[in-house]
Amino acid sequence: RSLKIDHIALRVDDVRESVDWYVNEYGCAIIYCDDTWAFLEFDNIKLALVVEDEHPYHIAFEVDDLGPLGGVLHRDGSVSRYIDDPSGNKIELIKYKK
């Protein structure tokens, strides 16, 4: 089965300052931004910027099916759930509405 990396989430100290830096340095588009997280879009991938204790750092894979456990519905209509890899890294499985 082939998976597509949807986004990577990095921890930052200040979301808005980091958004400004990524936009100015790399010209990415802002999908969403508030004080606890932001979602940026580049040509080939999305980047989430998160603050400590609000959202886990993770890598997200876009999937067609979350399986029988389902997931959590997000404000953009996507559904996702987190799992851990063997080393305890957070993996988000995300399904977008078509």
Side-chain angles (χ1 to χ4, degrees):
R1 137 179 144 177
S2 175
L3 291 178
K4 174 185 167 192
I5 294 175
D6 183 70
H7 66 271
I8 296 170
L10 301 176
R11 188 198 63 79
V12 297
D13 295 323
D14 183 303
V15 171
R16 293 184 191 277
E17 176 184 57
S18 296
V19 165
D20 289 344
W21 188 82
Y22 279 98
V23 169
N24 291 330
E25 290 291 320
Y26 299 106
C28 58
I30 301 170
I31 298 171
Y32 180 83
C33 180
D34 68 24
D35 290 335
T36 66
W37 76 282
F39 212 28
L40 306 176
E41 186 165 30
F42 295 81
D43 287 341
N44 62 336
I45 196 166
K46 291 175 274 193
L47 177 65
L49 304 175
V50 301
V51 294
E52 189 76 42
D53 298 328
E54 286 289 327
H55 306 278
Y57 328 140
H58 62 274
I59 185 168
F61 295 100
E62 185 177 348
V63 296
D64 292 329
D65 184 11
L66 290 171
L69 297 178
V72 175
L73 178 64
H74 300 287
R75 64 187 127 211
D76 67 357
S78 65
V79 178
S80 74
R81 69 180 163 101
Y82 290 96
I83 60 172
D84 291 338
D85 76 4
S87 297
N89 296 299
K90 292 292 179 199
I91 306 295
E92 182 181 21
L93 304 175
I94 189 166
K95 179 180 181 197
Y96 291 98
K97 61 182 177 182
K98 299 288 179 186

